[in-house]
Amino acid sequence: MRHARNNELTDRRSAAAEAKASLLTAYRAAKTAAEPSQASRQAERISLVDAREARRAERERLKHEERTRVETSAAQEHAAMEAAAVAEIEARHSAENARISRVVQDEAARKAERDRRYAARKSRQA
């Protein structure tokens, strides 16, 4: 004899409806009681999201600055290498021109000496 009274179908239905109604009122009361804390939690979440976005934007800005600095540095190094190569080529050309000039001068000096000897021999023979 667990239940002393006889539970009819209508009694069970009314008990279930009362239980649902009490659960609903408890839920509504908890929801209204939690609204201020929920609003503060929502504001905290929004501030966290804003801070996260600001940090991400700062990281992106730093990455972009680093990338442009590296690209600028690479471009300067490339320009310096090209200038060094051009200077080396010009130095080679000037050295080659100087060598050719010396060879031409030496050849002219040899011809002048040969002509002088020829003229001296002709003057002795005459």
Side-chain angles (χ1 to χ4, degrees), residues 108-121:
R110 276 195 297 271
K111 284 183 182 180
E113 179 64 24
R114 185 189 67 203
D115 290 346
R116 186 193 60 78
R117 284 192 313 251
Y118 181 77
R121 189 177 336 132

Side-chain angles (χ1 to χ4, degrees), residues 5-6 11 25 33-34 40 45 47 50 53 79 82 105 126:
R5 61 177 228 210
N6 190 3
D11 294 337
T25 57
S40 67
R45 286 183 191 134
S47 67
D50 290 343
E53 277 298 312
E82 284 183 357
Q105 287 174 353

Side-chain angles (χ1 to χ4, degrees), residues 36-122:
S37 63
Q38 182 182 12
S40 67
R41 284 195 312 260
Q42 184 67 20
E44 184 179 338
R45 286 183 191 134
I46 289 172
S47 67
L48 288 175
V49 167
D50 290 343
R52 187 179 308 127
E53 277 298 312
R55 289 191 307 267
R56 185 194 60 76
E58 180 66 17
R59 279 194 311 269
E60 289 297 321
R61 185 185 64 79
L62 290 175
K63 282 181 188 178
H64 185 274
E65 287 177 359
E66 179 68 18
R67 189 177 316 121
T68 56
R69 186 187 63 78
V70 167
E71 287 173 355
T72 303
S73 172
Q76 288 174 347
E77 288 176 8
H78 183 68
M81 289 173 53
E82 284 183 357
V86 167
E88 182 181 342
I89 289 171
E90 287 177 358
R92 266 194 241 140
H93 283 294
S94 65
E96 180 74 17
N97 289 341
R99 187 177 61 80
I100 290 172
S101 174
R102 281 193 311 268
V103 167
V104 168
Q105 287 174 353
D106 290 345
E107 187 68 28
R110 276 195 297 271
K111 284 183 182 180
E113 179 64 24
R114 185 189 67 203
D115 290 346
R116 186 193 60 78
R117 284 192 313 251
Y118 181 77
R121 189 177 336 132
K122 282 292 184 182

